[in-house]
Amino acid sequence: MSTHHSEPDPRDAPGLGPGGGVPPEETPAGEGSTGAETGPRDRQTRGWSKGPVIVLGIIVVLCAAFFIAYAVSVAL
């Protein structure tokens, strides 16, 4: 089975100027803006997973400990 979709005749399209151009005040016709992947996805997650949050937390704690130890060593 094959379906044949013929292109519309540009001479019959509304808003076309002479020669087939689109006047400045008209918006040219575009293709369909919706695809097969429209709408919400089936499985949506909220927030970050636990692994990256734990790793970032460890990095923040280590950086804070480094700067506190540096400030204490400079103050002495």
Side-chain angles (χ1 to χ4, degrees):
M1 277 193 199
S2 71
T3 58
H4 179 67
H5 298 285
S6 63
E7 292 290 323
D9 188 7
R11 294 173 293 189
D12 295 335
L16 291 180
V22 178
E25 67 273 359
E26 291 285 335
T27 302
E31 295 182 15
S33 62
T34 57
E37 296 285 330
T38 58
R41 295 184 180 166
D42 292 338
R43 294 177 46 173
Q44 293 182 347
T45 59
R46 300 180 105 199
W48 291 25
S49 58
K50 293 179 184 177
V53 172
I54 291 172
V55 170
L56 286 175
I58 291 171
I59 291 172
V60 167
V61 168
L62 289 176
C63 288
F66 170 76
F67 285 113
I68 290 171
Y70 181 73
V72 169
S73 68
V74 169
L76 295 177

